[in-house]
Amino acid sequence: MVTEDVCDAPGGARVAMTDQQFDEKFHSLLGPLAFESRRKEILFLVWNVERSADLLPLFTAMNLDAAEG
């Protein structure tokens, strides 16, 4: 039974995600792989990437250890 057609989901080309939707999706997808503190660090660096002169801290934070999560 189809109750509603969805042509464009949030995050698609025509329907932008809100910042909150982005954060929630990020945490849900990365939750099994990284501790909350690491996820928050990565998000902080992503949201502030335009102000950063150096991307090394972001790349370092994204390098998840196998034992984490």
Side-chain angles (χ1 to χ4, degrees), residues 28-47:
S28 71
L29 293 174
L30 205 60
L33 304 173
F35 294 124
E36 183 177 7
S37 59
R38 179 64 66 93
R39 296 191 314 262
K40 287 181 177 182
E41 176 186 8
I42 294 168
L43 273 177
F44 175 82
L45 294 166
V46 166
W47 285 120

Side-chain angles (χ1 to χ4, degrees), residues 26 41 48 68:
F26 179 87
E41 176 186 8
N48 292 285
E68 191 171 341

Side-chain angles (χ1 to χ4, degrees), residues 11-60:
R14 289 185 269 179
V15 180
M17 280 187 183
T18 65
D19 292 353
Q20 182 178 349
Q21 288 172 318
F22 179 86
D23 286 357
E24 289 171 359
K25 184 172 184 177
F26 179 87
H27 281 288
S28 71
L29 293 174
L30 205 60
L33 304 173
F35 294 124
E36 183 177 7
S37 59
R38 179 64 66 93
R39 296 191 314 262
K40 287 181 177 182
E41 176 186 8
I42 294 168
L43 273 177
F44 175 82
L45 294 166
V46 166
W47 285 120
N48 292 285
V49 72
E50 291 180 355
R51 295 182 201 107
S52 179
D54 183 6
L55 295 178
L56 184 59
L58 174 59
F59 295 143
T60 300

